[in-house]
């Protein structure tokens, strides 16, 4: 228990962040406060919710970090939650950046590309879209009626004849001069108007163009414009949400049952509903205002598009602070509203219904991980219930270019932000045990420095691989802190065998038991990640060794080629001018590069 006198008399009265920790330094909870002492004193009240009482019972240490303002505390809290992922904080399961469409206006013939981050590069961005599929669908529609180029700048410069997209009417072929910059700009303006939701202006322009084509007896052009108008009208009709103005909104709602919470967000851009995205929350508190505050903080990561308005079912506890922070990173005014009537209330009801359906699907399709974790601990006699499970594997070819990897699962789900790969440095020749030892040793050293030790480490292999991992843990003094096991796929008909410390014979479980299926899932993911990591390393080494054979290409030029092109294939497909344009290159060196790679060109 934390010393109450420390809270009552010694806690700072300034704004800042507080961290509840175990005696071993594990971060249990991160919170922010305008007045740290006042906020911490609220934990001393006897009428605390059950989860808060459990948190306080486990907390042995209290750390406070004073900030200059409440807004600084908000940003620091978000960063610390992302770093430590404390088990008593609300964690958003779906915090990735959603895809956007980017239109570069610097090019004479701009193209649309799919990106995940909005940058300050004076390009136009549209979205976000709820999935890659939604982006592809939008691009497919646009290419039918706004035939913008698809190729990269490098392909555009070297192309000598129209591509397949031009042959099927999806590209206007500016690469070979089949359209003037003025005509291409009209297409770009139409696509931008559609993506910005300026439907009336776009349709009015297309109607006028169709009538002019008909008057000039250009009936094929008029028919094509008619079809384009009809398709756009149908699409806009399907997207309409009856808002009084063409607005940008994100609409959030949550649905809960017990400690399971699922949510939905609707993306409305220029009055058009682009789609929805569902997500799950874990480690949830019972206070709705704090829940929505945490959700908004974690959802709008750096680089995500933030609309002018965010709709929520209830006002978050720190609405004004959130609005100030969001406005600062969005570089425009952002307001948070709780609609009570009208079209926006209908949107909120739609989001609520989607959240309820997401929760129902979640409850129907999964059993609580806690049950599985308890079974794991009982059957395999672990020291504690494994919430953080990590899988270790290695990949090499006869000891060449070995790579060790670690994959991470939190509460039964992949946590790819915690995946790690290690290039084996100290081993020569095929020695799986030594490679496992080095991988586990380096990984535990890293995890220890981050105060983020796993509960269970699963080794892909048998008894020898397990002993190597245990030796690494023993050297770090962590044998009592972490459970270990190994999963081996035997060649005989007996199937999988589980090896455990201090047990002579392996454990065999029925093939379809839930515990075995989960361990196989972790092992298979580690194996997949190890193979892909080894392939990447092999390709990079092959690439670098080829460059070493080229006269005139030293370390600096080699580094520039690697940074600019990234692969042999891309250098092969580049022309002499593109290589020459790199700093420090000339035509003679460019010709040598093309000659060595088997694609020499005349100077």
């Amino acid at each position: 228990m934390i010393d109450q006198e420390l809270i009552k008399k010694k806690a700072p009265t300034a704004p800042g962040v507080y961290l509840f920790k175990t005696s071993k330094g594990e971060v249990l909870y991160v919170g922010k406060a305008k007045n740290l002492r006042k906020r911490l004193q609220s934990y001393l009240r006897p009428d605390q919710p059950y989860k808060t009482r459990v948190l306080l019972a486990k907390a042995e240490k209290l750390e406070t970090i004073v900030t200059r303002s409440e807004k600084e505390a908000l940003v620091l809290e978000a960063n610390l939650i992302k770093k430590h992922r404390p088990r008593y904080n609300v964690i958003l399961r779906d915090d990735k950046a959603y895809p956007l469409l980017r239109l570069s206006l610097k090019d004479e013939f701009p193209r649309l590309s799919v990106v995940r981050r909005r940058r300050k590069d004076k390009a136009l961005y549209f979205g976000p879209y709820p999935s890659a599929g939604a982006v592809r669908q939008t691009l497919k529609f646009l290419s039918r009626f706004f035939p913008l180029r698809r190729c990269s700048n490098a392909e555009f410069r070297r192309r000598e004849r129209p591509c397949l997209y031009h042959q099927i009417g999806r590209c206007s072929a500016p690469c070979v001069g089949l359209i003037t910059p003025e005509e291409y700009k009209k297409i770009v303006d139409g696509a931008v108007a559609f993506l910005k939701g300026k439907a009336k202006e776009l349709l009015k322009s297309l109607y006028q163009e169709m009538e002019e084509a008909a008057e000039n007896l250009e009936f094929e052009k008029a028919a094509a414009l008619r079809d384009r108008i009809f398709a756009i009208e149908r699409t806009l009709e399907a997207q309409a949400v009856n808002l009084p103005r063409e607005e940008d909104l994100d609409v959030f709602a949550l649905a809960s049952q017990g400690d399971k919470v699922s949510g939905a967000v609707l993306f409305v851009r220029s009055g058009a509903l682009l789609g929805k995205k569902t997500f799950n929350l874990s480690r949830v508190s019972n206070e709705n205002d704090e829940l929505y505050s945490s959700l908004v903080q974690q959802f709008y990561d750096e680089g995500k598009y933030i609309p002018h308005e965010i709709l929520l079912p209830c006002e978050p506890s720190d609405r004004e602070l959130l609005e100030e922070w969001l406005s600062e990173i969005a570089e425009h005014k952002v307001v948070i509203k709780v609609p009570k009537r009208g079209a926006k209330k209908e949107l909120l009801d739609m989001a609520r219904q989607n959240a309820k359906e997401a929760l129902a699907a979640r409850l129907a399709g999964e059993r609580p991980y806690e049950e599985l974790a308890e079974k794991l601990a009982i059957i395999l006699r672990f020291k504690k219930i494994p919430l953080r499970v990590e899988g270790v594997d290695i990949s090499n070819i006869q000891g060449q270019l070995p790579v060790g990897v670690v994959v991470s699962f939190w509460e039964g789900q992949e946590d790819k932000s915690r995946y790690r790969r290690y290039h084996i440095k100290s081993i020569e020749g095929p020695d799986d045990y030594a490679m496992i030892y080095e991988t586990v040793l380096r990984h535990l050293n890293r995890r220890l420095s981050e105060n983020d030790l796993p509960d269970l480490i699963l080794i892909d292999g048998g008894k020898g691989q397990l002993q190597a991992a245990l030796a690494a843990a023993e050297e770090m003094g962590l044998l009592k802190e972490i459970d270990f096991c190994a999963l081996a796929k035997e060649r005989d008909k007996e199937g999988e065998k589980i090896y455990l410390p201090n047990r002579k014979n392996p454990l065999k479980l029925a093939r379809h038991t839930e515990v075995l299926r989960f361990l196989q899932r972790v092992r298979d993911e580690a194996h997949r990640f190890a193979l892909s990591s080894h392939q990447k390393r092999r390709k990079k080494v092959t690439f670098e060794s080829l460059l070493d054979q080229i006269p005139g290409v030293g370390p600096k030029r080699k580094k520039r080629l690697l940074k600019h092109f990234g692969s042999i294939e891309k250098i092969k497909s580049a022309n002499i001018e593109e290589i020459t344009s790199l700093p420090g290159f000339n035509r003679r060196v460019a010709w040598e590069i093309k000659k060595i790679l088997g694609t020499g060109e005349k100077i």
Side-chain angles (χ1 to χ4, degrees):
M1 290 288 291
I2 295 170
D3 183 5
Q4 294 190 9
E5 289 301 312
L6 178 68
I7 292 175
K8 289 178 180 177
K9 297 180 179 179
K10 296 184 179 179
T13 56
V17 171
Y18 59 94
L19 298 87
F20 287 128
K21 297 182 176 182
T22 65
S23 58
K24 295 169 184 173
E26 178 193 356
V27 178
L28 295 173
Y29 183 79
V30 177
K32 68 177 182 304
K34 188 175 183 179
N35 183 314
L36 284 167
R37 185 181 297 178
K38 190 178 289 188
R39 178 70 182 97
L40 289 167
Q41 284 176 349
S42 70
Y43 284 98
L44 303 180
R45 294 198 307 261
D47 57 336
Q48 297 293 342
Y50 173 73
K51 282 194 173 182
T52 305
R53 294 201 303 271
V54 173
L55 163 64
L56 294 173
K58 291 185 176 182
E60 299 284 344
K61 294 180 180 179
L62 171 65
E63 181 184 333
T64 58
I65 304 172
V66 173
T67 58
R68 290 175 295 182
S69 66
E70 196 180 355
K71 187 169 66 178
E72 276 190 10
L74 179 85
V75 175
L76 179 58
E77 179 196 34
N79 290 334
L80 289 172
I81 289 173
K82 189 183 296 183
K83 178 181 177 181
H84 297 292
R85 300 183 77 83
R87 63 179 64 193
Y88 287 94
N89 278 94
V90 175
I91 301 294
L92 177 63
R93 281 269 175 234
D94 186 47
D95 58 353
K96 61 178 175 291
Y98 298 122
L100 300 148
L101 282 175
R102 177 183 180 274
L103 184 71
S104 173
L105 299 180
K106 293 187 294 184
D107 301 324
E108 186 179 20
F109 297 101
R111 66 186 277 259
L112 279 168
S113 57
V114 180
V115 296
R116 291 272 176 180
R117 294 286 178 187
R118 180 182 297 262
R119 304 189 186 282
K120 296 178 183 178
D121 56 1
K122 297 183 180 179
L124 287 179
Y125 289 87
F126 307 96
Y129 294 85
S131 66
V135 175
R136 285 195 297 270
Q137 190 177 359
T138 302
L139 280 174
K140 186 177 179 182
F141 171 83
L142 286 169
S143 66
R144 286 172 59 197
F145 305 108
F146 305 104
L148 302 174
R149 69 178 173 98
R150 300 282 193 96
C151 55
S152 67
N153 289 340
E155 291 173 313
F156 181 79
R157 285 194 293 268
R158 67 171 176 270
R159 188 167 286 284
E160 296 177 353
R161 58 185 180 187
C163 63
L164 180 63
Y165 286 113
H166 174 72
Q167 295 174 33
I168 60 175
R170 302 293 174 90
C171 175
S172 49
C175 55
V176 290
L178 296 186
I179 186 171
T180 64
E182 293 74 25
E183 289 172 329
Y184 192 86
K185 187 176 183 303
K186 285 185 181 179
I187 297 174
V188 170
D189 291 343
V192 169
F194 175 79
L195 289 166
K196 282 187 173 179
K198 296 180 179 178
K200 292 177 183 176
E201 296 92 328
L202 172 61
L203 289 171
K204 184 179 178 182
S205 172
L206 291 174
Y207 270 117
Q208 186 177 342
E209 198 175 339
M210 180 181 70
E211 288 170 1
E212 288 175 0
E215 286 175 7
N216 295 331
L217 305 181
E218 296 173 329
F219 298 117
E220 285 187 14
K221 182 180 178 181
L225 287 166
R226 178 202 62 204
D227 293 341
R228 187 187 302 182
I229 291 166
F230 179 64
I232 291 171
E233 285 176 334
R234 283 179 59 190
T235 302
L236 294 173
E237 195 175 291
Q239 290 179 333
V241 292
N242 300 318
L243 288 173
R245 299 191 306 274
E246 293 181 348
E247 299 177 84
D248 284 2
L249 309 170
D250 281 351
V251 189
F252 290 88
L254 300 173
S256 64
Q257 183 173 319
D259 63 350
K260 296 289 184 184
V261 178
S262 294
V265 55
L266 305 181
F267 301 116
V268 179
R269 298 293 177 264
S270 301
L273 180 61
L274 292 186
K276 68 162 187 181
K277 191 71 180 177
T278 58
F279 50 84
N280 295 324
L281 294 175
S282 65
R283 300 169 241 172
V284 174
S285 68
N286 295 322
E287 303 296 329
N288 260 348
D289 56 349
E290 290 187 8
L291 186 56
Y292 278 102
S293 176
S294 295
L295 171 61
V296 169
Q297 270 182 265
Q298 293 183 55
F299 188 85
Y300 293 110
D301 196 1
E302 184 183 353
K304 276 189 179 175
Y305 175 73
I306 304 174
H308 290 80
E309 209 167 292
I310 296 166
L311 305 185
L312 301 176
C314 69
E315 187 171 310
S317 54
D318 46 4
R319 178 182 61 81
E320 291 182 2
L321 180 61
L322 282 173
E323 287 178 339
E324 184 185 349
W325 172 65
L326 290 168
S327 299
E328 186 175 297
I329 58 177
E331 298 184 341
H332 59 71
K333 186 173 176 57
V334 179
V335 295
I336 296 172
K337 291 184 178 179
V338 182
K340 302 296 183 184
R341 62 183 69 85
K344 291 181 180 178
K345 174 65 164 55
E346 291 174 10
L347 274 174
L348 197 57
D349 292 339
M350 189 190 304
R352 277 199 186 102
Q353 187 58 39
N354 279 282
K356 287 177 183 176
E357 290 175 4
L359 177 64
R362 180 183 180 188
L363 293 174
E366 71 173 38
R367 295 179 64 191
Y369 175 74
E370 290 80 3
E371 291 181 20
L372 172 60
E374 285 179 13
K375 282 186 179 179
L376 268 168
I378 292 168
I379 293 172
L380 303 183
R381 298 182 181 179
F382 292 151
K383 293 182 281 290
K384 54 185 172 181
I385 294 174
L387 298 178
R388 170 79 64 189
V389 179
E390 295 187 333
V392 177
D393 195 11
I394 55 170
S395 182
N396 63 93
I397 298 176
Q398 296 297 313
Q400 298 299 309
L401 305 177
V403 177
V405 302
V406 182
V407 299
S408 188
F409 284 65
W410 173 260
E411 293 184 350
Q413 301 298 319
E414 295 170 10
D415 185 359
K416 294 194 175 182
S417 66
R418 302 287 200 210
Y419 283 23
R420 298 290 181 265
R421 61 171 64 90
Y422 300 93
H423 291 175
I424 304 298
K425 299 175 180 177
S426 62
I427 315 301
E428 292 185 7
D431 188 340
D432 287 1
Y433 301 158
M435 292 177 191
I436 288 285
Y437 175 84
E438 181 182 325
T439 301
V440 173
L441 187 69
R442 290 170 62 187
H443 185 67
L444 289 181
N445 190 49
R446 180 176 195 158
R447 285 286 186 250
L448 192 62
S449 67
E450 297 171 349
N451 282 323
D452 188 25
L453 292 174
D455 301 313
L456 169 66
I457 290 182
L458 171 69
I459 307 297
D460 183 5
K463 192 171 184 179
Q465 283 85 355
L466 176 62
Q467 292 302 322
L470 292 172
E474 185 175 19
E475 182 171 329
M476 295 292 298
L478 296 174
L479 271 182
K480 293 181 180 179
E481 306 293 327
I482 305 168
D483 287 302
F484 284 84
C485 70
L487 185 62
K489 186 178 288 185
E490 301 296 333
R491 294 181 180 178
D492 56 28
K493 294 181 180 180
E494 294 181 13
E496 306 273 13
K497 293 181 180 179
I498 302 171
Y499 291 88
L500 297 165
N502 304 317
R503 181 185 171 111
K504 185 177 180 181
N505 297 318
L507 181 67
K508 298 170 189 174
L509 298 178
R511 288 187 179 182
H512 302 296
T513 60
E514 196 177 17
V515 167
L516 180 60
R517 285 205 307 271
F518 175 69
L519 294 177
Q520 288 171 330
R521 184 175 156 218
V522 176
R523 188 268 315 277
D524 293 345
E525 175 64 6
H527 187 63
R528 179 203 65 76
F529 188 51
L531 285 176
S532 65
S533 300
H534 182 250
Q535 287 169 358
K536 284 180 182 177
R537 187 180 184 190
R538 202 166 65 238
K539 283 182 181 178
K540 185 179 179 183
V541 169
T542 304
F543 185 17
E544 291 179 350
S545 63
L546 270 172
L547 296 180
D548 287 337
Q549 300 172 23
I550 301 172
V553 176
K556 287 186 179 179
R557 283 174 171 166
K558 180 177 165 182
K559 186 176 179 180
R560 285 190 181 126
L561 284 169
L562 283 164
K563 185 176 180 181
H564 185 80
F565 293 103
S567 72
I568 292 294
E569 289 72 22
K570 287 185 179 178
I571 297 179
K572 283 182 178 179
S573 60
N575 56 35
I576 293 289
E577 285 70 25
E578 190 172 0
I579 298 173
T580 306
S581 68
L582 294 177
F585 284 75
N586 54 46
R587 292 183 66 82
R588 173 62 61 186
V589 172
W591 183 82
E592 288 288 351
I593 292 168
K594 300 291 278 185
K595 183 177 73 172
I596 291 291
L597 298 180
T599 55
E601 298 177 14
K602 292 182 179 179
I603 297 180

